[in-house]
Amino acid sequence: MDTRKRKRVTTLIPPSSNTCIKALILCFSFFPFLLFLSHHIHIQEVGLVGFRNPTRLASTTLPQLRVQIRVLFPHCVLVIVGVNKEVNDRHRYRNEDIECLYHRQLNESDADRRVNKEFDVRPALSADGYDEFRWIVRCPVPAGNYSAVVGLRWRRADVAAGVHRGGGVDKWDMVTYEAVMDGEESVVLFVKGLNLRPDRESDPNQFTCRFRWETMDRRESEVHTSKAITAAQEVVRCALPEDVRTNIRKVERVEVTISMRTQIHGRGHLQQMIIPSVAEIRGRGSSGGKRDGDGDGKYELCACTMVWNQASAIREWIMYHAWLGVERWFVYDNNSDDDLKVVIEELDEKYYNVTRHVWPWIKSQEAGFSHCALRARDECSWVAFFDVDEFFYFPPPRHRGDNAMVNPGQNSLRELVANLTSSAANIAEMRTTCYSFGPSGLTTVPVQGVTSGYTCRLQSPERHKSIVRPDALDDTLLNAVHHFRLRKEFRYLNMPLGTVLINHYKYQVWESFKTKFYRRVSTYVADWLENQNEGSRDRAPGLGTEAIEPPNWHLRFCEVWDTRLRDFVIANLADPTTGMLPWQSAALQ
């Protein structure tokens, strides 16, 4: 910005200039008249608002912010913005560059109208890429009597772009939020608001799939319908209509959603209710998300996880499991506001092959894993679904001469699944038991990471996590986070404890553990601040609903001292000169 002050120039106006002065007065009198009109005429949509602010930076390169859809969450208003692919590739969006504009409610009382401003302007909470053709902007929940129908503008632009007063706002818990093409015959939709049972398949006949696109001249829209094929949890698989298959490459995008039969309150008959949607499938101009790299070959072992604010933990998790043989990473970012994006970019630059997928939909871990299984199927032979506080470990044989399925060491996890592929063609899921570790006497975050810091655990194992073949999953994609439903010709294998296990660093120092109170990602698990299912195994015993550190937290959940993974990590991964572990060194660079 040019901060130099311009010199003030004073010019005396001669008496002969009265005619010019009158003309100026007339022009300036016309401006309040226009302002009066703007307060009384409801503007449906303004693409570019033509007022200039001298404190803003002039820019001819900033794209127009074309608001497509708004979704109201408990913590923000999610604004989905349409951009063309060239702009998306070129422009670096930052939340400090964008402002959120709120209009007064139309039903506001005269008293409120005298107090409240016409607009309220607040900085965006965050901005991020969503897909090839869309961004998302998170705006604060509106204050007072302002509408959630949020507009956007560039903060540093000389023109306020993208101010939209038309349209409405959808609710996060009643929306079709994602869609994925599955081959040429079907599309998989991810839908909130269906209220289906968590552990079983539902009747798909209650749903109708709807496909809509605009004609090339954008004057008309075409709508086609088909029947749902399967339905489970938040996932509905739809047959792709013939007209859609024929025209998908000719149009830019196809909006998709479902309708379902529902009973009208106070009446005895059913009607079709169309679920609002932000989901679309792409045709012309889309890359299709195909794998880059070495032709048709698949990675033997990939990993998928969903995280919120795990920038401090994800380096250790990825670098350790990469040493065990994981080749490809899918990280679903569930509204993180820490440095997760930066850390993932750094890891990817160091050839860890990590992809961050923006996933703003809360309470949707099961659906996110189903979505990831579809994405990974063409790239990966096996996919491990587990959290960033869970670490696979190969314990040494208890007795000399014991036969092991794989020798503990580098790439041992990849060798294990490769052995299953070659020796047991009908095994499509490997289930591994978890041991839960406690704070182990610590009161501060261990500087060498969780694998070296936490060494005391509960005696009995809890639950399991799975590595699956994505091409063997049931068409419903039904899962319970810990495992998937397989097609009937496949089965799962429970791995013996002496072969492989998972150290689950579940109960960490209170500074780290207390964040679990504020966000549980599973669809069917209540947030810990809610007074629901307080006896659930998902919760820590006896903590209740408040994030208050109990007495002697650092000594809890400690029944067996187990230093095996710590000793293994230090022996195999620590720098012989400095003693530092790889994730410590990476964090310092």
Side-chain angles (χ1 to χ4, degrees), residues 263-278:
Q263 189 167 359
I264 304 176
H265 292 293
R267 301 180 184 180
H269 63 276
L270 299 176
Q271 71 170 6
Q272 288 289 121
M273 180 181 71
I274 300 176
I275 304 292
S277 178
V278 305

Side-chain angles (χ1 to χ4, degrees), residues 382 405 420 424-433 464-469 472-473 482-496:
W382 293 84
M405 293 183 66
L420 287 178
N426 66 330
I427 299 295
E429 184 174 66
M430 186 187 83
R431 297 183 179 180
T432 304
T433 300
H464 61 265
K465 286 299 173 73
S466 297
I467 304 178
V468 304
R469 282 178 48 188
L473 301 183
H482 307 287
H483 54 261
F484 280 79
R485 175 183 287 186
L486 305 174
R487 297 207 304 268
K488 293 180 179 180
E489 64 267 30
F490 295 99
R491 64 182 183 90
Y492 64 84
L493 174 67
N494 288 322
M495 300 304 296

Side-chain angles (χ1 to χ4, degrees), residues 510-529:
W510 185 256
E511 178 185 346
S512 301
F513 181 81
K514 66 182 180 181
T515 60
K516 293 178 181 286
F517 276 86
Y518 304 107
R519 184 71 61 87
R520 308 304 293 153
V521 295
S522 173
T523 308
Y524 304 101
V525 171
D527 290 338
W528 290 3
L529 293 174

Side-chain angles (χ1 to χ4, degrees), residues 375-395:
R375 289 183 67 205
R377 187 179 56 193
D378 292 338
E379 295 189 44
C380 310
S381 298
W382 293 84
V383 182
F385 291 87
F386 61 122
D387 299 328
V388 296
D389 59 356
E390 296 168 334
F391 288 74
F392 281 86
Y393 170 56
F394 292 85

Side-chain angles (χ1 to χ4, degrees), residues 1 83 98 116 172 271 280 319 323 335 425 467 496 508 514 562 586:
M1 177 184 297
V83 294
I98 299 175
N116 293 335
W172 74 272
Q271 71 170 6
E280 57 187 40
M319 297 177 82
W323 191 83
N335 299 300
I467 304 178
Q508 300 184 23
K514 66 182 180 181
D562 185 347

Side-chain angles (χ1 to χ4, degrees), residues 98-262:
I98 299 175
E99 292 177 329
C100 305
L101 276 67
Y102 304 83
H103 301 268
R104 290 195 313 220
Q105 298 276 14
L106 295 179
N107 59 354
E108 191 176 41
S109 67
D110 292 337
D112 290 335
R113 191 175 295 111
R114 286 193 294 270
V115 174
N116 293 335
K117 299 178 294 183
E118 179 70 17
F119 294 97
D120 186 23
V121 181
R122 301 172 69 183
L125 299 174
S126 65
D128 215 335
Y130 188 48
D131 56 32
E132 292 179 291
F133 302 90
R134 295 184 291 180
W135 301 345
I136 58 173
V137 178
R138 296 178 180 90
C139 291
V141 174
N145 199 32
Y146 289 95
S147 170
V149 183
V150 184
L152 301 173
R153 73 181 182 191
W154 292 109
R155 187 170 66 88
R156 292 191 176 94
D158 61 344
V159 176
V163 182
H164 289 249
R165 296 191 63 174
V169 58
D170 299 321
K171 299 290 185 65
W172 74 272
D173 56 356
M174 180 63 73
V175 63
T176 300
Y177 56 93
E178 276 283 2
V180 178
M181 291 277 291
D182 189 12
E184 299 294 330
E185 302 294 330
S186 68
V187 59
V188 179
L189 306 187
F190 298 82
V191 190
K192 286 282 185 185
L194 303 182
N195 297 320
L196 303 183
R197 294 287 298 272
D199 56 351
R200 65 190 61 181
E201 186 175 359
S202 300
D203 180 13
N205 293 319
Q206 59 187 308
F207 305 116
T208 300
C209 309
R210 301 175 61 87
F211 302 80
R212 175 187 173 275
W213 71 81
E214 293 179 338
T215 56
M216 295 297 293
D217 57 9
R218 298 183 182 272
R219 295 180 180 178
E220 299 180 5
S221 61
E222 296 185 16
V223 178
H224 299 270
T225 62
S226 68
K227 290 296 183 182
I229 302 171
T230 64
Q233 297 174 328
E234 292 184 354
V235 180
V236 178
R237 183 182 293 273
C238 301
L240 205 58
E242 179 63 32
D243 287 339
V244 178
R245 291 201 301 270
T246 302
N247 291 282
I248 187 65
R249 299 301 177 190
K250 301 177 183 178
V251 297
E252 290 185 355
R253 62 192 180 99
V254 178
E255 300 171 6
V256 291
T257 190
I258 64 168
S259 61
M260 60 182 181
R261 295 194 299 271
T262 184

